[in-house]
Amino acid sequence: MKETVVRKILEALPDWFAMEEGREQYIRESSEQICIGAAKETEYIGFLCLKETGKDTLELAVMGVLKEYHRQGIGREMFMMAKNIAREKGYSFLQVKTVQMGKYDVYDETNRFYISLGFKEFEVFPTLWDEANPCQIYVMSVE
């Protein structure tokens, strides 16, 4: 079920998830992750998945909200649920990786969203993914 929802939403967001290999990896890995869904009536319109990256840290591994529902608070609401889950499970930090600000307009929107949630810049890895997509890591305390 998780993979079906993740696939539906990621495939509907080609501006962010056009690369098939990466998209398929997110879909596969979602089956083993903590996932939160957002629905309108009987249809899922968004999801967020968390994975453990250390004994004290969960990563917001992937999230998506159908484009027609952007800027309606759905992502923020799912994130607040995820933050509460992290706290309840005894984690200290959340992290998220995205493309560094200033490279692509669509990812600049994503960066601004994470910053608005309270994430702080941690480090940039210029070649983690590839030179065209420097990886920005954001972190926050959940305590």
Side-chain angles (χ1 to χ4, degrees), residues 14 27 32 37 46 77-78 142:
I27 294 164
E32 304 298 321
E77 187 174 323
M78 288 190 300
V142 297

Side-chain angles (χ1 to χ4, degrees), residues 20 26 29 41 58-60 80 97 103 105 112 118:
E20 184 178 2
Y26 286 132
E29 291 176 357
E41 298 170 16
L58 281 178
E59 179 177 0
L60 193 166
M80 294 310 295
K97 296 179 185 101
K103 298 298 177 184
D105 290 343
R112 285 190 288 274

